[in-house]
Amino acid sequence: MNSRSNTFNQQLQSAWASQGSMLCVGFDPDPKRLPPALQGKPEGIFEFCRDISDATADLVCAFKPQFAYFASQRAEAQLEKLIRHLKDQYPHIPVILDSKRGDIGSTADHYALEAFERYGADAITVNPYMGFDTIEPYLKHHGKGVIVLCRTSNPGGSDLQFLNVSPNGEPLYLHVARLAANQWNGSGQIGLVVGATFPEEIAKVRATVGEMPLLIPGIGAQGGDIEATVKAGSISGKPGTGMIINSSRAILYASSGNDFAQAARQAAQSTRDALRAAT
C-alpha cells in the first residue's frame, strides 16, 4: 500500500498495526540542551532530530515536531529538511506538525498551505477557540489530519476548559469533543488533543467521540500515568489503537552526551514497552 496516498487515519491504523506501538516521539529541540558535538553547528537542530528519528523509527506510530522550537531559532529550513527526511525514510510513519494554529479562515488557508504544502506534514494541531470556520480550511486538504485542542495537560487549561456551557452542566472540553466528533468531522480526519495528566477526562472524551484518534501529551517529563492513560483512552475490542501517546523531553534528553541517540532509543523502547504492557 502506498502510504503517501493514504489519509492520515489510514496511516495511523497501519502504523498501529505494523509498528505495534502507540508511542509518538515529539521533537522539541532546545539549542541549550543539544549534545556537545552539535553545539553551534549550523544544522545542529536537524542533525539532533534526524539521529533520534533514525534511532526510534521502529518504535513509534508517529513523529511530532513542535513548530515554535524551530521557528524561534530561525530553523524553519531545518524543520523542512527534517520532515523530508522522515517522509523519505519512514513514509509509513505519519508526521504531525504541532503548531496549534487558530485564526480567521483566510489566514487559516495560509497556515494550512504552510503545514501541508511547505512542510509536508500529514496532520496539524489547531486551536478551536474561534470556531469551525477557522478549522475548515485545513479540512479542505484531502486526507490531511486536523487534531483539535480539547483537554490540555497544562495547569491553566481548566481556566476555560471546565466552564459549563450547557444546561446539563457539560464542560467546554466535552462540548468541543462533541462538535469535533459530529458536526465538524465530515472528512473523517479529525482527532483531539487530550492530556495524559487527566485520565478521568480522557475516559469521558473517549466515551463521547467513539474511535476518534486521541493525541495524548503529558507522559514522561510531565508526569502522566501510563497505565491510567491507556486504560482511559482504549477502544473496546481494539487494543493498541486509538491513541498517539507523545513523549518529547524524556526521550530527547535521555542523555546530555554524544550518546544521545542511543539513550533516546532506550528511553523510547522502555516507554513503548510500558504502553504495550498497559494495553
Side-chain angles (χ1 to χ4, degrees):
M1 187 178 294
N2 184 0
S3 58
R4 290 181 183 274
S5 63
N6 289 347
T7 68
F8 174 63
N9 274 347
Q10 287 171 331
Q11 286 180 288
L12 274 180
Q13 295 292 340
S14 178
W16 285 324
S18 65
Q19 301 285 93
S21 176
M22 294 187 293
L23 175 65
C24 172
V25 169
F27 293 115
D28 301 3
D30 183 347
K32 297 175 184 176
R33 301 185 71 177
L34 295 184
L38 297 178
Q39 289 281 350
K41 292 190 70 174
E43 292 199 332
I45 288 175
F46 163 71
E47 292 179 28
F48 177 69
C49 296
R50 178 201 62 197
D51 290 356
I52 289 177
S53 72
D54 292 344
T56 61
D58 63 318
L59 304 172
V60 305
C61 69
F63 288 116
K64 184 179 71 68
Q66 214 298 326
F67 181 78
Y69 279 84
F70 293 86
S72 69
Q73 302 303 312
R74 298 181 173 87
E76 291 97 328
Q78 294 183 66
L79 175 58
E80 288 185 73
K81 190 171 182 179
L82 172 64
I83 295 179
R84 280 199 306 271
H85 174 77
L86 297 176
K87 302 313 295 179
D88 288 344
Q89 297 300 314
Y90 314 108
H92 57 293
I93 300 175
V95 176
I96 301 165
L97 184 61
D98 187 7
S99 53
K100 301 180 179 69
R101 300 298 194 190
D103 213 324
I104 61 171
S106 59
T107 304
D109 281 331
H110 290 276
Y111 280 141
L113 287 171
E114 175 191 53
F116 301 138
E117 300 298 329
R118 177 183 178 185
Y119 291 111
D122 300 300
I124 186 174
T125 57
V126 301
N127 189 325
Y129 192 76
M130 293 175 67
F132 180 66
D133 61 292
T134 68
I135 293 173
E136 191 174 19
Y138 303 95
L139 298 173
K140 293 176 182 176
H141 292 258
H142 176 72
K144 297 296 187 178
V146 181
I147 305 178
V148 178
L149 293 176
C150 178
R151 179 68 176 113
T152 58
S153 56
N154 62 302
S158 298
D159 293 350
L160 297 179
Q161 294 160 19
F162 250 71
L163 294 175
N164 291 336
V165 295
S166 67
N168 65 2
E170 182 176 70
L172 178 60
Y173 80 91
L174 282 182
H175 183 65
V176 169
R178 201 175 305 280
L179 285 172
N182 297 302
Q183 291 98 308
W184 295 354
N185 201 22
S187 72
Q189 301 305 312
I190 284 184
L192 292 173
V193 177
V194 188
T197 48
F198 302 106
E200 290 184 8
E201 282 81 38
I202 296 174
K204 292 177 181 177
V205 170
R206 174 59 74 206
T208 300
V209 304
E211 298 185 4
M212 176 178 283
L214 304 181
L215 172 59
I216 303 179
I219 66 167
Q222 295 184 57
D225 183 283
I226 285 178
E227 187 172 355
T229 295
V230 172
K231 181 179 179 181
S234 64
I235 297 173
S236 179
K238 296 184 177 181
T241 70
M243 290 173 279
I244 311 158
I245 301 178
N246 184 78
S247 181
S248 299
R249 287 169 288 170
I251 292 173
L252 298 188
Y253 308 117
S255 169
S256 60
N258 292 332
D259 63 340
F260 67 94
Q262 180 183 0
R265 177 175 178 80
Q266 291 172 348
Q269 188 161 10
S270 175
T271 307
R272 190 276 314 267
D273 291 347
L275 291 171
R276 280 182 173 177
T279 300

